Each structure stands twice: as C-alpha cells, then as structure tokens.
C-alpha cells in the first residue's frame, strides 16, 4: 500500500518530481504513506484516510526552494533552499519510534499503539 501511495503522488503531478525523488530516497520517509494537498508533500504513519498529522510536511516556496511546516498547519519549521535540506528537516522531526506505516486508519493505529503500551506495562510480559 505504501509503494502504491508513492506511485500515486508521483503521478498526480501536484508535487515537484525532484522533491518526491529525494524524499523517496530517504528510507525513514519511504516507509511512510505519502499524500499530497495544495502542492504539499505530507507523510502519514498510517495508510488510510484521514491520515496522521504528526509529521512535518513540505511545500513549494515562492521564488523557488521549499518551506517546511507542521506537523499542524499553524506550525512553521522554516525555509529550505533544496529538496535535500527540506527532507532533512522533516526527518529530524519525526516522532520517536516512527516505523513503517500502519495498514489502517489513524484510529486503528492509535488503538494498536495503546495495546502495545499496555502490553509493555503488564508485569511478566516480555
């Protein structure tokens, strides 16, 4: 599903190909589910809509370069002159423990993470 997501964002034409190429080359982002909106490249920790909003996203900047925002719309990270710099800014702000995208919705992901946390807290469980 994640690979299909990367193919879809490449084909929809809303994000600069160079940015998609650089983001896809980064293993920590390649394992996430990508999606686009308003020319922005977003990354989700789950594969189904409504995707997670806990990872910064990259948008084109006026006059060239990029702007990294988020994870929420009212949060700004800052400008990036190149796609490589923008991707590095996102990677540096990944939530701890970010792994491959969970197959399901954000609610299913939250329930899965809660069950893992509960198992970790139970005495005698390894």
């Amino acid at each position: 599903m994640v690979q299909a997501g990367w193919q879809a964002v490449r084909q929809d034409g809303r994000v600069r190909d160079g940015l998609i190429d650089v983001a896809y080359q980064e293993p920590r982002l390649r394992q996430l589910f990508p999606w686009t909106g308003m020319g922005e490249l977003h990354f989700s920790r789950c594969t189904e809509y409504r995707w997670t909003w806990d990872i910064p996203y990259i948008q084109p900047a006026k006059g060239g370069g990029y702007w990294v925002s988020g994870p929420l719309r009212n949060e700004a990270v800052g400008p990036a002159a190149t796609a490589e710099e923008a991707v590095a800014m996102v990677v540096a702000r990944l939530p701890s423990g970010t792994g491959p995208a969970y197959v399901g919705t954000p609610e299913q992901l939250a329930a899965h993470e809660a069950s893992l946390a509960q198992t970790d807290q139970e005495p005698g469980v390894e």
Side-chain angles (χ1 to χ4, degrees):
M1 290 185 81
V2 170
Q3 184 62 33
W6 282 99
Q7 290 172 349
V9 298
R10 185 173 299 286
Q11 292 171 351
D12 78 13
R14 292 189 228 177
V15 175
R16 298 174 187 164
D17 286 338
L19 174 58
I20 295 170
D21 293 341
V22 171
Y24 187 78
Q25 290 171 10
E26 169 52 59
R28 291 166 287 186
L29 295 184
R30 185 173 51 240
Q31 69 181 345
L32 300 173
F33 189 83
W35 60 280
T36 61
M38 300 186 296
E40 305 161 346
L41 180 58
H42 295 257
F43 308 95
S44 177
R45 294 187 311 111
C46 67
T47 61
E48 294 183 31
Y49 184 80
R50 296 193 64 96
W51 301 284
T52 60
W53 274 86
D54 56 357
I55 297 172
Y57 58 95
I58 305 168
Q59 55 196 334
K62 291 181 182 179
Y66 299 91
W67 185 265
V68 179
S69 296
L72 301 177
R73 286 230 176 258
N74 62 353
E75 298 174 326
V77 176
T82 65
E84 291 82 3
E85 186 180 339
V87 164
M89 292 167 75
V90 171
V91 169
R93 290 162 178 82
L94 288 173
S96 102
T98 297
Y102 180 83
V103 177
T105 66
E107 296 78 19
Q108 291 168 329
L109 171 60
H112 173 72
E113 290 175 337
S115 71
L116 291 176
Q118 181 65 28
T119 300
D120 288 344
Q121 293 175 4
E122 292 178 11
V125 176
E126 295 183 35

